[in-house]
Amino acid sequence: MTIPAGFPDDFRAGFVCFVGRPNAGKSTLTNALVGQKIAITSNKPQTTRHTVRGIIGDEASQIVVVDTPGLHKPRTLLGQRLNDVVRETLLDVDVIGFCMPADQKPGPGDKYIAAELEELRRGRRTPIIAIATKADLVSRDQLAEHLMAIDQLGDFDEIVPCSAVNGEQLDVVRRLITEKLPLSPPLYPEDVLTDEPTDVMIAELVREAALEGVRDEMPHSLAVVVEEMLPREDRPADKPLMDVRVNVFVERPSQKAIIIGKGGSRLREVGTTSRKAIEELLGQRVHLDLHVKVAKDWQRDPKQLQRLGF
């Protein structure tokens, strides 16, 4: 492949996908490598629902990180569709990073994913790097045991521990990924960090704020859609204001009450937290208008799933 003028002949570029069971640290790792928040994080499982492309570049390479939902045994139509997203993504990337948190022993979910990856490899030899995430949470002896357990799971090209929180070994993860990318010119302009649409990023920021402090079943029942984004008219040029109308969907009236909170206190908290993040994203002031609506059993309804963007 011919590399354009201005780039070294050994320039490498391509796509890497982080896969793992829910809450394995994939989104946190993506954000740490990119150096900016592009994927929402939460201690609740199944936070990510869209593939998010984060772009890492320097003078020698460009890595396009594809963050996917957690691969899991689905219980709903939504779960099936999320798994389909992961499998479709795995067929199109140059490198796979299999994330397994160091503070948890490899379990049935990891074995399920390892088997899926082995099946994928029968069709093509995609390099797989096993990444022991959250290495800062365990001792050196525990980490060594975890790495040996990972080695028993499958035939991986590399096994590497790292911590996205304190930056430990992130440079090693990046180097190992880069080495396995094909020779290629850059795939995106150098000033681009993500190709995620702005309205999707705003919806994810609202959903992240809404997830904080709610009960375990809520993450699966929560969907957020940006209905409208309009610049406020008659504003001074140096003081623009964006009106953003957002609908938060839940499956039951009881969940709506949780999100709104007593006297609307919880919803105001969600609005304040997400508005700050949205203003940072857009680089201007925002008036955020949040509405909570009930879409009964939307995870199992094909028409509602489509309307909500799944």
Side-chain angles (χ1 to χ4, degrees):
M1 176 174 290
T2 302
I3 306 297
F7 296 95
D9 292 339
D10 59 350
F11 194 92
R12 294 181 180 273
F15 295 85
V16 58
C17 171
F18 293 133
V19 66
R21 54 187 166 84
N23 204 24
K26 302 181 296 297
S27 295
T28 305
L29 179 58
T30 296
N31 291 338
L33 287 170
V34 175
Q36 178 172 314
K37 186 171 189 170
I38 60 165
I40 73 169
T41 59
S42 171
N43 59 3
K44 306 295 182 184
Q46 206 56 56
T47 301
T48 304
R49 287 180 179 161
H50 305 273
T51 56
V52 178
R53 289 178 173 85
I55 301 157
I56 312 159
D58 57 25
E59 66 280 355
S61 65
Q62 186 182 75
I63 304 171
V64 184
V65 183
V66 185
D67 183 36
T68 65
L71 194 58
H72 63 296
K73 292 185 178 181
R75 298 178 181 176
T76 64
L77 181 58
L78 171 63
Q80 292 174 15
R81 291 193 177 179
L82 293 178
N83 271 2
D84 289 343
V85 167
V86 180
R87 293 191 181 99
E88 289 169 10
T89 302
L90 291 176
L91 293 173
D92 292 330
V93 298
D94 301 293
V95 181
I96 296 170
F98 181 11
C99 296
M100 287 168 275
D103 62 334
Q104 301 172 38
K105 293 182 179 180
D110 298 303
K111 293 177 182 178
Y112 173 79
I113 294 169
E116 290 278 324
L117 294 178
E118 190 63 34
E119 184 69 24
L120 174 75
R121 277 192 149 177
R122 294 181 182 180
R124 53 179 296 189
R125 181 68 187 181
T126 304
I128 300 176
I129 300 173
I131 303 172
T133 57
K134 308 183 184 183
D136 57 299
L137 299 180
V138 297
S139 68
R140 294 184 66 175
D141 288 344
Q142 289 172 315
L143 182 58
E145 290 181 9
H146 186 68
L147 296 177
M148 288 188 287
I150 288 176
D151 189 44
Q152 299 300 311
L153 276 182
D155 179 22
F156 304 118
D157 295 85
E158 306 279 357
I159 301 175
V160 58
C162 77
S163 168
V165 173
N166 64 20
E168 182 182 353
Q169 296 248 112
L170 285 180
D171 57 334
V172 178
V173 173
R174 178 170 174 172
R175 175 176 57 79
L176 292 175
I177 292 170
T178 300
E179 289 174 352
K180 291 170 174 50
L181 294 178
L183 294 172
S184 167
L187 304 173
Y188 288 85
E190 62 181 42
D191 59 342
V192 174
L193 291 179
T194 181
D195 67 354
E196 186 80 349
T198 300
D199 61 333
V200 173
M201 293 183 72
I202 289 173
E204 291 291 88
L205 289 171
V206 172
R207 191 160 69 93
E208 180 181 42
L211 283 172
E212 289 304 312
V214 298
R215 294 183 302 190
D216 289 343
E217 76 271 13
M218 187 67 79
H220 304 281
S221 302
L222 199 65
V224 180
V225 176
V226 176
E227 287 293 313
E228 192 174 60
M229 285 180 58
L230 292 173
R232 181 78 61 88
E233 295 181 359
D234 302 325
R235 294 283 298 184
D238 61 339
K239 294 182 180 180
L241 180 68
M242 183 70 71
D243 286 310
V244 181
R245 180 184 174 88
V246 176
N247 287 334
V248 179
F249 292 93
V250 293
E251 292 188 297
R252 298 188 295 276
S254 60
Q255 294 171 336
K256 179 178 180 179
I258 292 171
I259 293 296
I260 293 175
K262 187 176 181 180
S265 59
R266 176 89 184 104
L267 188 61
R268 284 194 296 272
E269 187 177 313
V270 170
T272 299
T273 300
S274 56
R275 178 178 53 78
K276 291 178 181 177
I278 294 167
E279 287 180 338
E280 185 175 337
L281 173 68
L282 298 181
Q284 67 174 89
R285 286 191 60 199
V286 167
H287 173 73
L288 182 62
D289 187 16
L290 291 180
H291 296 267
V292 184
K293 299 185 177 184
V294 176
K296 186 177 179 182
D297 294 329
W298 65 264
Q299 292 185 78
R300 294 172 173 80
D301 185 334
K303 290 184 179 179
Q304 293 200 85
L305 279 173
Q306 186 173 11
R307 183 164 65 91
L308 296 176
F310 298 103

